[in-house]
Amino acid sequence: MILRYLFGHPFDTEAVPNKPAVSDGPVPYLSVEKDGSSLSMTLSDDDVVYGLGETVRGMNKRGWIYVSYNTDEFLHMETTKSLYASQNFLLVTNGLRSLGIFVDCPGEVTFDIGYTKMDRLCIRPAKPDFELYLVTSAKMDPAAARRDVVHHFRRLIGKSYLPPLFAFGYGQSRWGYKSEDDVEEVADSYERMGVPLDAIYLDIDYMDHFKDFTVNEETFPDFPGFVSRMKDRGIHLVPIIDAGIRKEEGYCVYEEGKKNGYFVKDKDGKDFTAAVWPGEVCFPDVLSSRARQWFGSQYDVLLDAGIDGFWNDMNEPSIFYTPERLNQAIRNVAGYEGKDLDVNAFMRLRDEMGTLSNNREDYRNMFHDADGTKVCHDDVHNLFGFNMTRAAGEHFLKACGEGKVLLFSRSSYIGMHRYGGVWTGDNRTWWSHLKLSLQQQPALNMAGFLYSGSDMGGFMDDTTEDLMLRWLSASLFTPLYRNHAALGTRQKELYRFPHRSWFENLVQLRYALIPYIYAQFRKARDDDAMYFAPLSFFYGNDERVMQIEDQLMAGEDVMIAPVVEQNKTGRMVYLPEDMTLVRFRSFEDYDTVPLAKGDHYVSCALNEALVFIRKGHVLPLGVPAANTAELDLGNLTQIRG
């Protein structure tokens, strides 16, 4: 059952395409302040709170405060409250009940889940203008009820995005591939190594002075020809697109946007100006259907060059500074010259520059024209990344058809899942972020984001060979399988590490698993179900699984329990039923070991991967190929549980 309630004057986020009727009477399950300023409920000792999509900490969100306000936050600490995305769906569940809660609010929302009071969930929108959806199930089995609540919510918000098959292959990315020669070196090196490769990602270096929808003609002199040559090798080039349009006379994208009023305005009605990679930029007003259609059509310059994959970035939107705030900070800093600064004065000096980026006051000075309605950006901040990707996704559907173009985004809101996938942003080369990358997946699936993944090996800092091996192994079933690194960090293309054969075997194993991954992904999409799920979604009467945070169901047939700690040669695994352990060293070198329900210590060397097949289920295994286009999806071996 789904109940819908209105509070105040909510902005239509379009997260829910076909809304049910507004419910009459008081709101059940929750205590509601009269003005809608807060919603709360008592949590029992055995309640687990799942959801909130891409956030820090574990799968159970109890014990912390989470703030939905999309933020360019590259330092994901346990104390972080906001990340790049806002997916305001919660599932509160125990052995007796399962309640889905969706707070459809495009501005800031605070979720205090047992932080102020351990037994209290409190939801506080910054402004009491929102829609509330409550989802329940009549099913008696706890696991079936959890799946049922998510199923009904997923049906409510619409079908998830369908990517092309090559999107499930291995992708190599790095901020710093500056030319055709750099890209060809990567392709050649992987070919010599014998590692399958479907995509090479182009970060901001491919552009002409970091301007969207341009290509540096000096480093890519014949871009369409180069794209074609790479496709002949089975490799798709996937360029980045940023949110800001360079403010430059003669730059056709800027000129068109300025002439037709397609940019976000400031309080005086002028085009709002900020600075990102290329310097001063304007942001497309993606809440305007006209501007959205225009922005989506800009991708044609790259589609026409043969590109069939994109990743949208910096679309919270991220702001380095605004000219006014920068100039004021420079004037203020000049006043400190020659002075003897105590700690308070030094802190003020530091903050002059430290508060330039992503300043909330700048967002309050941005205004949208939402098809005739003037809206302050701060009130709808979380919708920008959603609608930037929607602009592209809607255009691709018209121009290319469904399932033809790879598209994913850093920033998102529920509803964007219909147009593209997500990656979990600028993570670090930390073992804790490897574990976090797994824990985020079920919550993203609940919110509709089936196509998702993390930057394997970590984006920031210098990775290690053992972390890279464990991340590749842990991500074997993750739909997005991309190795990405930041400029200035250790180069971590797989051919640069000593144990090349281990990496070769892992990536080949990934390709052998693609028939299963793709089939289970399609089934989850078609059935409005989850591809990744906590164990409690399958084993509802087993109280122990509610506590497990580092084992997941991947599809309906397989459980994964990867090693996510440094210097560990194995791990404890709890089996909620009899299963068959498959210890892979390669796609053709593996052992199968029947294991009984219960606790087991399972060894796992760095060159091994663990997969657990449920009793009576089957894992199909293909033969790897150089890329997904060459996979023989009909030539499968079955490993039985």
Side-chain angles (χ1 to χ4, degrees):
M1 181 173 67
I2 298 175
L3 300 174
R4 173 182 170 226
Y5 298 89
L6 298 184
F7 292 86
H9 302 283
F11 182 86
D12 186 3
T13 67
E14 300 185 71
V16 178
N18 300 303
K19 299 181 181 183
V22 177
S23 300
D24 296 324
V27 177
Y29 313 114
L30 299 171
S31 298
V32 182
E33 291 292 328
K34 288 183 179 180
D35 61 355
S37 59
S38 72
L39 312 168
S40 61
M41 67 181 296
T42 299
L43 297 174
S44 63
D45 290 343
D46 59 347
D47 271 331
V48 169
V49 183
Y50 294 119
L52 288 187
E54 179 190 315
T55 46
V56 299
R57 302 203 172 207
M59 287 189 283
N60 185 354
K61 312 313 293 187
R62 290 188 68 162
W64 192 236
I65 293 177
Y66 307 87
V67 179
S68 287
Y69 194 83
N70 294 355
T71 304
D72 181 1
E73 176 54 79
F74 64 89
L75 191 60
H76 310 174
M77 308 289 286
E78 284 194 26
T79 52
T80 300
K81 294 182 174 68
S82 303
L83 288 179
Y84 304 98
S86 295
Q87 294 121 354
N88 301 341
F89 176 76
L90 292 173
L91 176 65
V92 182
T93 183
N94 57 33
L96 300 175
R97 67 170 182 184
S98 288
L99 173 66
I101 305 171
F102 174 40
V103 181
D104 190 4
C105 177
E108 179 184 307
V109 184
T110 299
F111 296 85
D112 182 339
I113 310 178
Y115 173 77
T116 302
K117 294 183 178 180
M118 293 179 65
D119 64 346
R120 200 74 178 159
L121 163 65
C122 185
I123 303 170
R124 293 187 299 273
K127 292 186 177 180
D129 300 305
F130 60 95
E131 298 189 28
L132 172 68
Y133 294 83
L134 301 176
V135 188
T136 58
S137 172
K139 295 185 180 296
M140 300 302 294
D141 176 73
R146 291 166 192 140
R147 295 196 304 271
D148 196 43
V149 167
V150 171
H151 170 71
H152 286 299
F153 178 65
R154 291 275 306 284
R155 288 188 64 188
L156 180 73
I157 61 177
K159 291 292 182 193
S160 299
Y161 158 75
L162 179 66
L165 182 63
F166 82 82
F168 295 83
Y170 178 70
Q172 180 61 59
S173 182
R174 182 177 178 84
W175 175 12
Y177 296 153
K178 298 179 182 297
S179 65
E180 289 186 5
D181 290 343
D182 289 346
V183 174
E184 286 192 306
E185 179 188 355
V186 172
D188 292 344
S189 298
Y190 273 109
E191 186 175 322
R192 286 193 296 269
M193 187 181 176
V195 169
L197 181 65
D198 264 272
I200 297 177
Y201 289 78
L202 304 179
D203 212 311
I204 56 176
D205 309 279
Y206 82 93
M207 300 178 186
D208 175 14
H209 294 90
F210 311 127
K211 293 183 291 188
D212 276 348
F213 311 115
T214 69
V215 174
N216 186 332
E217 295 182 356
E218 292 184 4
T219 54
F220 293 90
D222 177 17
F223 191 67
F226 183 59
V227 172
S228 178
R229 293 199 305 275
M230 295 304 291
K231 274 192 177 179
D232 288 343
R233 301 179 62 172
I235 297 172
H236 301 255
L237 299 183
V238 183
I240 194 171
I241 300 294
D242 287 328
I245 301 298
R246 167 69 178 166
K247 191 175 181 180
E248 178 183 297
E249 301 298 325
Y251 170 35
C252 63
V253 182
Y254 170 70
E255 295 281 12
E256 285 183 19
K258 178 182 177 182
K259 176 182 177 181
N260 294 288
Y262 292 143
F263 294 133
V264 172
K265 307 302 181 186
D266 64 16
K267 64 180 183 298
D268 298 320
K270 299 177 182 178
D271 290 343
F272 177 85
T273 300
V276 201
W277 300 116
E280 292 187 5
V281 302
C282 294
F283 294 115
D285 189 356
V286 290
L287 294 190
S288 160
S289 57
R290 288 178 59 250
R292 217 166 37 241
Q293 185 176 11
W294 166 76
F295 189 77
S297 70
Q298 299 307 303
Y299 288 78
D300 280 343
V301 69
L302 294 168
L303 289 175
D304 292 344
I307 294 294
D308 53 7
F310 300 89
W311 48 306
N312 287 343
D313 199 2
M314 304 295 287
N315 53 352
E316 292 72 34
S318 182
I319 294 175
F320 289 173
Y321 63 86
T322 57
E324 296 82 5
R325 192 172 300 282
L326 175 64
N327 292 334
Q328 183 61 54
I330 291 172
R331 289 192 293 268
N332 293 345
V333 167
Y336 288 94
E337 185 177 2
K339 292 186 176 181
D340 180 9
L341 305 182
D342 64 13
V343 63
N344 294 322
F346 175 74
M347 293 295 183
R348 289 194 296 271
L349 171 61
R350 186 185 64 179
D351 289 346
E352 288 291 351
M353 293 301 174
T355 57
L356 286 176
S357 298
N358 306 315
N359 192 293
R360 192 72 176 262
E361 289 304 315
D362 292 329
Y363 293 132
R364 294 188 178 111
N365 190 33
M366 295 170 59
F367 292 87
H368 295 272
D369 177 4
D371 291 342
T373 302
K374 184 178 181 180
V375 183
C376 177
H377 172 85
D378 191 58
D379 293 334
V380 293
H381 173 74
N382 296 333
L383 296 182
F384 192 93
F386 164 12
N387 281 281
M388 177 186 171
T389 300
R390 175 185 177 183
E394 288 180 333
H395 184 72
F396 298 157
L397 284 172
K398 292 178 182 177
C400 310
E402 186 179 52
K404 301 298 184 182
V405 181
L406 169 60
L407 179 62
F408 59 92
S409 170
R410 187 170 78 176
S411 180
S412 65
Y413 183 83
I414 289 175
M416 198 204 83
H417 70 284
R418 301 191 295 268
Y419 305 100
V422 293
W423 95 100
T424 55
D426 298 342
N427 58 3
R428 317 289 291 209
T429 55
W430 298 346
W431 289 85
S432 61
H433 278 192
L434 167 55
K435 185 175 181 179
L436 177 63
S437 71
L438 293 172
Q439 293 170 329
Q440 290 173 326
Q441 295 306 311
L444 284 167
N445 276 212
M446 291 177 196
F449 294 94
L450 295 181
Y451 188 77
S452 60
S454 66
D455 287 340
M456 296 189 297
F459 176 70
M460 302 291 292
D461 308 317
D462 297 328
T463 199
T464 59
E465 186 173 18
D466 59 339
L467 178 59
M468 194 74 237
L469 284 162
R470 290 301 196 201
W471 214 308
L472 285 168
S473 177
S475 302
L476 278 171
F477 289 88
T478 303
L480 174 60
Y481 199 63
R482 181 176 79 150
N483 174 355
H484 186 38
L487 185 70
T489 63
R490 178 182 186 178
Q491 291 181 299
K492 60 187 182 77
E493 294 83 5
L494 303 185
Y495 49 82
R496 300 185 186 277
F497 293 104
H499 294 91
R500 288 190 173 192
S501 63
W502 294 0
F503 288 102
E504 177 186 354
N505 289 338
L506 276 174
V507 180
Q508 287 185 346
L509 174 58
R510 160 65 177 212
Y511 276 71
L513 291 168
I514 285 177
Y516 174 79
I517 296 168
Y518 188 72
Q520 292 293 314
F521 180 96
R522 287 295 302 261
K523 188 176 192 307
R525 178 186 183 270
D526 294 344
D527 295 347
D528 297 309
M530 295 173 67
Y531 170 76
F532 278 124
L535 301 191
S536 64
F537 278 58
F538 284 78
Y539 305 99
N541 295 313
D542 188 333
E543 293 183 2
R544 282 196 59 185
V545 300
M546 303 292 282
Q547 308 296 319
I548 294 176
E549 296 266 324
D550 60 353
Q551 300 175 210
L552 293 179
M553 300 303 299
E556 297 181 347
D557 306 298
V558 164
M559 185 189 78
I560 60 173
V563 176
V564 293
E565 295 182 69
Q566 191 168 25
N567 299 322
K568 298 292 186 180
T569 58
R571 57 160 294 166
M572 290 300 301
V573 177
Y574 174 67
L575 302 184
E577 65 173 323
D578 295 353
M579 293 187 181
T580 295
L581 163 64
V582 187
R583 180 182 286 106
F584 285 103
R585 287 168 292 276
S586 74
F587 79 97
E588 53 190 357
D589 180 11
Y590 56 86
D591 303 322
T592 58
V593 183
L595 296 175
K597 174 183 177 180
D599 294 297
H600 299 269
Y601 178 80
V602 181
S603 64
C604 184
L606 280 173
N607 65 328
E608 295 178 331
L610 307 176
V611 177
F612 297 84
I613 307 175
R614 299 175 66 194
K615 186 175 183 179
H617 292 248
V618 171
L619 174 64
L621 200 66
V623 177
N627 50 67
T628 53
E630 297 182 12
L631 283 175
D632 183 357
L633 299 179
N635 183 18
L636 304 178
T637 300
Q638 293 188 338
I639 307 177
R640 298 189 175 276

